[in-house]
Amino acid sequence: MTQFGKLKGEMREIHAEAVRLTLEDTSISAKDIDAMYVGTWTPDLFLNQLFPAPMLADSLGLNNIPVSRVEDACATGSVAFRQAAMAVMSGLHRLVLVTGVEVMTQRPTRECVKTIAYASDRLWEQPFGITFPSSYALLASRHMHKYGTTPEQLAAVSVKNHRYSAKNPKAQYGEVTLEQVLSSKMVSWPLRLLDCCPISDGAAALVIARAEEAKKYTDTPVYVLGSGQARASLSLHDRPSLTSIPSTKQAAETAYRMAGVEAGDVDVAEVHDCFTIAEILAVEDLGFFKKGEGGKAVEEGSTEIGGKIPVNVSGGLLGKGHPIGATGVAQMVEIFEQLRGESGSRQVPGAEIGLTHNVGGTGGVVTVHIFSVKGG
Amino acid sequence: MTQFGKLKGEMREIHAEAVRLTLEDTSISAKDIDAMYVGTWTPDLFLNQLFPAPMLADSLGLNNIPVSRVEDACATGSVAFRQAAMAVMSGLHRLVLVTGVEVMTQRPTRECVKTIAYASDRLWEQPFGITFPSSYALLASRHMHKYGTTPEQLAAVSVKNHRYSAKNPKAQYGEVTLEQVLSSKMVSWPLRLLDCCPISDGAAALVIARAEEAKKYTDTPVYVLGSGQARASLSLHDRPSLTSIPSTKQAAETAYRMAGVEAGDVDVAEVHDCFTIAEILAVEDLGFFKKGEGGKAVEEGSTEIGGKIPVNVSGGLLGKGHPIGATGVAQMVEIFEQLRGESGSRQVPGAEIGLTHNVGGTGGVVTVHIFSVKGG
């Protein structure tokens, strides 16, 4: 992955940098790639650039291979990954490049927040002025009401993730204190500025091959044990409950079953913390903690390195940044490096099974993927 | 497929109508579907609606299955189909719904043309004011220069396709005369208004299952014999020649090889005639006629029913309409019906092998698919 943050350079340059870093890690050259899936959310609205797949391919020196763009809001990157994996499983392709990229900071933040709100329903949500901070604020306030989750517990998510992002040289932000989070500007009660992920630029890339061929290209491949994807209603008002994301539960169930593992087997997880409440919902819905106990678990350190299940030791979306299309792929890059023991001062010791969890909207689409260095 | 044209109703309603018509033709209910791929080009810019996949799924009564949006400019629909086919081939899904939809006429035509130009390169094309009519005008003028193709031959494509669209109750437009085409407003020399496809609303849908299971759901399935997808540079200035779309040639070669057929075996073809010159390039690059002889072939009637290879008997994009994301799927709907002998007054007698050809931009992405009623 590239640096995340406010970057200089064109979308195609940022994207090419991620691919360069990825291929350098292998014996693969661009000419060996036989299909490319690009996850990018809305270069249309951010950059006036539709049809990004061939434009991005042009700058990579690829052959005249199939290239496709995938879009599923903030789950875009991981859905592109899943498509790429199915392309390999189908037998039509052998060596598939999957990339995620977004360039957002060229627009003012206010305009970005409005654009992001286009991922809500144009008939039933947008006319009433809802934005994603306010959608997640509804989820947070309901969780607080039902389970006693506190603003301090929300803030603890942000403090933890920023503490880890300070150890990640590619992250957008460094440390913040509990006091800084709790005194940051109120965005949509109970979510303050430091409960919200930033606007970011960045890209990430991976190459997928059949498991039995992976060692041709690298001595230390990482294997995909399970892939789950599920949907829920686009709008929160169509859900039976606001204290759980049902598509997270279902995607996790599918991925765990395919992988033959349980929540308790996972050693390290990257979950979708676009807002602090999102991480609390995730660690509950993924089965790491009982429903209602996520906030307490974070506050007690159970999601830190050395705790029950280290979560978002990359810094997460909150600390590392959230270039939308890149996020799902970057989560996998973190798990890839963790499982290979390459994460330096934020390494989870002995991590063998890793999980990624990527959410589009408030759960309209969710993916869960499970990885291991063993499995070839 | 739905009616194409200027439609009333929300995107979700138009989309749901296509799915209803599709499922009614089978024994499948919405609850049986286990994944959905939506091809839609830019509801972002046309409708302020990003993340369309779960929104569209909500109105269909689907289970909480994986839903994904695919975008590859005007090739969007067929790329969604190819993804859906690979999902079935991968073994992860058994019964996959693929849909294409676009709602364009809510914006003024001038704004649509500008939006469509966002599928050209934002750095190297957009600043110079190029639009798609002018890109295809470059292709047309070069073909005229090199091969002597005439404005009358271009117009003959439009006359033929409108003659067939008059026989298609779902088409946007009826017949036009050669004189009408040749006296219509000049858009970008040599392309006049009736050399250009219209701005349209519409949707189309298909269900894909494994070949060995298809007869569970319908007595008359259509089999996918071959699928090819290829890319070329996004911009024309990066191409070695302007008288051929190299990605059409490569996608066709891949599809023919997979299907075990040759160009001469194809009984009926739907090709991407966004402009009249596009059909002439297509019938050459697909191998139906020698390079440079496409214009003459159309003028002589070789692409009509009864001729060497009937092309765009649906009316094509020119006569039937071109709701961008829907087009690639609608081309397949036409071939599906032709191969089942259900096309009424525009039926190609005894058609056994059908081909679809769908182009994104000026060929940045091209797909070719080959279908038959035999093959299960």
Side-chain angles (χ1 to χ4, degrees):
Chain A
M1 62 176 275
T2 66
Q3 180 72 40
F4 278 11
K6 185 169 172 57
L7 302 184
K8 287 185 178 146
E10 257 283 312
M11 181 191 192
R12 71 196 82 194
E13 295 174 301
I14 295 167
H15 180 265
E17 172 69 3
V19 175
R20 183 183 70 77
L21 291 167
T22 300
L23 295 184
E24 274 182 5
D25 190 66
T26 70
S27 62
I28 299 164
S29 84
K31 294 281 179 219
D32 301 325
I33 300 293
D34 72 352
M36 179 172 85
Y37 289 82
V38 178
T40 182
W41 181 55
T42 186
D44 336 12
L45 284 161
F46 289 136
L47 301 172
N48 294 351
Q49 182 67 69
L50 268 153
F51 203 21
M55 184 272 280
L56 296 171
D58 283 347
S59 61
L60 298 178
L62 300 178
N63 291 324
N64 293 332
I65 58 173
V67 296
S68 312
R69 172 190 169 205
V70 174
E71 188 273 317
D72 258 344
C74 300
T76 289
S78 62
V79 173
F81 175 86
R82 193 175 142 93
Q83 287 313 108
M86 286 198 277
V88 171
M89 292 173 79
S90 76
L92 287 193
H93 294 290
R94 291 185 60 178
L95 204 54
V96 178
L97 178 64
V98 54
T99 65
V101 60
E102 209 79 51
V103 176
M104 304 170 71
T105 69
Q106 296 183 15
R107 303 275 189 190
T109 296
R110 181 187 298 251
E111 203 182 303
C112 285
V113 173
K114 186 178 168 191
T115 295
I116 293 167
Y118 290 160
S120 60
D121 193 302
R122 69 187 288 258
L123 278 191
W124 304 114
E125 295 182 314
Q126 292 177 30
F128 308 102
I130 204 165
T131 61
F132 276 88
S134 54
S135 291
Y136 275 90
L138 290 171
L139 297 173
S141 56
R142 187 69 192 164
H143 204 273
M144 291 164 78
H145 173 74
K146 192 157 177 195
Y147 299 113
T149 300
T150 64
E152 289 74 17
Q153 290 171 346
L154 295 174
V157 173
S158 185
V159 171
K160 168 181 69 71
N161 293 357
H162 282 90
R163 191 162 67 241
Y164 289 123
S165 67
K167 297 175 189 289
N168 183 349
K170 290 183 172 172
Q172 187 164 2
Y173 289 112
E175 290 200 48
V176 298
T177 65
L178 194 69
E179 293 66 37
Q180 283 175 312
V181 180
L182 290 172
S183 63
S184 63
K185 198 164 82 173
M186 185 60 74
V187 174
S188 183
W189 190 90
L191 300 179
R192 295 174 178 274
L193 186 64
L194 290 173
D195 287 296
C196 307
C197 67
I199 303 291
S200 317
D201 308 324
L206 292 163
V207 179
I208 309 180
R210 293 191 71 82
E212 57 271 28
E213 296 187 0
K215 289 222 170 165
K216 284 189 201 170
Y217 308 111
T218 176
D219 293 335
T220 46
V222 168
Y223 299 94
V224 187
L225 301 190
S227 172
Q229 183 182 338
R231 79 173 188 93
S233 67
L234 182 64
S235 305
L236 291 177
H237 60 248
D238 283 331
R239 309 258 180 96
S241 159
L242 293 186
T243 54
S244 170
I245 307 280
S247 37
T248 293
K249 285 187 165 179
Q250 191 175 328
E253 191 187 309
T254 304
Y256 288 141
R257 193 173 56 239
M258 190 186 297
V261 304
E262 295 176 358
D265 299 323
V266 176
D267 299 311
V268 56
E270 288 285 303
V271 313
H272 199 89
D273 61 325
C274 48
F275 301 94
T276 49
I277 182 62
E279 179 164 322
I280 290 172
L281 291 169
V283 298
E284 295 170 356
D285 292 332
L286 291 167
F288 299 148
F289 301 98
K290 282 189 191 147
K291 183 50 67 185
E293 298 184 3
K296 191 160 148 268
V298 174
E299 200 169 37
E300 291 176 350
S302 302
T303 57
E304 295 174 19
I305 296 173
K308 185 184 173 196
I309 168 74
V311 172
N312 285 336
V313 297
S314 70
L317 285 58
L318 287 164
K320 185 178 59 181
H322 182 26
I324 295 178
T327 285
V329 181
Q331 290 179 318
M332 293 176 184
V333 170
E334 177 70 18
I335 293 299
F336 181 91
E337 293 178 352
Q338 286 284 346
L339 296 178
R340 305 210 313 182
E342 299 171 347
S343 297
S345 63
R346 63 182 198 283
Q347 179 66 44
V348 175
E352 292 194 350
I353 294 180
L355 176 148
T356 59
H357 163 255
N358 193 200
V359 177
T362 54
V365 169
V366 174
T367 68
V368 173
H369 286 89
I370 298 170
F371 301 89
S372 173
V373 277
K374 297 180 182 167
Chain B
M1 63 177 276
T2 66
Q3 181 71 40
F4 278 12
K6 186 171 171 57
L7 303 183
K8 287 184 177 146
E10 256 284 310
M11 180 191 192
R12 69 197 83 195
E13 294 173 302
I14 295 168
H15 180 264
E17 172 70 1
V19 174
R20 184 184 68 77
L21 291 167
T22 301
L23 295 185
E24 274 182 5
D25 189 66
T26 69
S27 61
I28 299 164
S29 84
K31 294 281 180 217
D32 301 325
I33 299 294
D34 72 351
M36 179 172 84
Y37 289 82
V38 179
T40 182
W41 182 54
T42 185
D44 335 11
L45 284 161
F46 289 136
L47 302 170
N48 294 351
Q49 180 68 69
L50 268 154
F51 204 20
M55 184 272 279
L56 296 170
D58 284 346
S59 61
L60 298 178
L62 301 177
N63 290 324
N64 293 332
I65 59 173
V67 297
S68 312
R69 171 190 171 206
V70 174
E71 187 273 319
D72 259 343
C74 300
T76 289
S78 62
V79 173
F81 175 85
R82 192 175 142 93
Q83 287 312 110
M86 286 197 277
V88 171
M89 291 173 78
S90 77
L92 287 194
H93 295 290
R94 290 185 60 177
L95 204 55
V96 178
L97 178 64
V98 54
T99 65
V101 60
E102 209 79 51
V103 176
M104 304 170 71
T105 70
Q106 295 183 16
R107 301 278 188 187
T109 296
R110 181 187 298 251
E111 203 182 303
C112 285
V113 172
K114 186 178 168 191
T115 296
I116 293 167
Y118 290 160
S120 60
D121 193 301
R122 69 186 288 255
L123 278 193
W124 304 113
E125 296 182 314
Q126 291 176 32
F128 308 101
I130 205 165
T131 62
F132 276 89
S134 54
S135 292
Y136 275 91
L138 291 171
L139 297 173
S141 55
R142 187 69 192 165
H143 204 273
M144 291 165 78
H145 172 74
K146 191 158 175 192
Y147 299 114
T149 300
T150 65
E152 289 74 17
Q153 290 171 348
L154 295 174
V157 174
S158 185
V159 172
K160 168 180 69 70
N161 292 358
H162 282 89
R163 190 163 67 242
Y164 288 123
S165 67
K167 297 175 189 288
N168 182 349
K170 291 184 172 170
Q172 187 164 1
Y173 289 113
E175 291 201 47
V176 297
T177 65
L178 194 68
E179 294 66 36
Q180 282 176 313
V181 180
L182 290 173
S183 64
S184 63
K185 199 164 83 173
M186 185 60 75
V187 175
S188 184
W189 189 88
L191 301 178
R192 295 174 179 276
L193 187 63
L194 290 173
D195 287 297
C196 307
C197 67
I199 302 292
S200 317
D201 307 325
L206 293 162
V207 179
I208 309 180
R210 293 192 70 82
E212 56 271 27
E213 295 187 1
K215 289 221 169 165
K216 282 189 200 170
Y217 308 112
T218 176
D219 292 336
T220 46
V222 168
Y223 299 94
V224 187
L225 301 190
S227 173
Q229 184 183 335
R231 80 173 188 92
S233 68
L234 182 64
S235 304
L236 292 177
H237 60 248
D238 282 332
R239 307 259 180 96
S241 159
L242 293 186
T243 54
S244 170
I245 305 280
S247 38
T248 293
K249 285 188 165 180
Q250 190 174 330
E253 191 187 309
T254 304
Y256 289 141
R257 193 174 55 238
M258 191 186 297
V261 304
E262 295 175 359
D265 299 324
V266 177
D267 299 311
V268 56
E270 288 284 303
V271 312
H272 197 88
D273 59 327
C274 47
F275 300 94
T276 49
I277 183 62
E279 180 166 320
I280 290 173
L281 291 170
V283 297
E284 295 170 355
D285 292 332
L286 291 166
F288 299 148
F289 301 98
K290 282 190 191 148
K291 183 48 69 185
E293 297 184 4
K296 192 160 146 268
V298 174
E299 200 169 36
E300 291 177 350
S302 302
T303 57
E304 294 173 18
I305 295 173
K308 184 183 173 196
I309 168 74
V311 172
N312 285 336
V313 298
S314 69
L317 285 57
L318 287 163
K320 186 178 59 181
H322 182 27
I324 295 180
T327 285
V329 181
Q331 291 179 317
M332 294 175 184
V333 169
E334 176 70 17
I335 293 299
F336 181 90
E337 293 178 353
Q338 286 284 346
L339 296 178
R340 305 210 313 182
E342 297 171 347
S343 297
S345 63
R346 63 181 197 284
Q347 178 66 45
V348 174
E352 292 194 350
I353 293 181
L355 177 149
T356 59
H357 163 255
N358 193 198
V359 176
T362 53
V365 169
V366 174
T367 68
V368 173
H369 285 89
I370 298 171
F371 301 89
S372 174
V373 275
K374 298 180 182 167

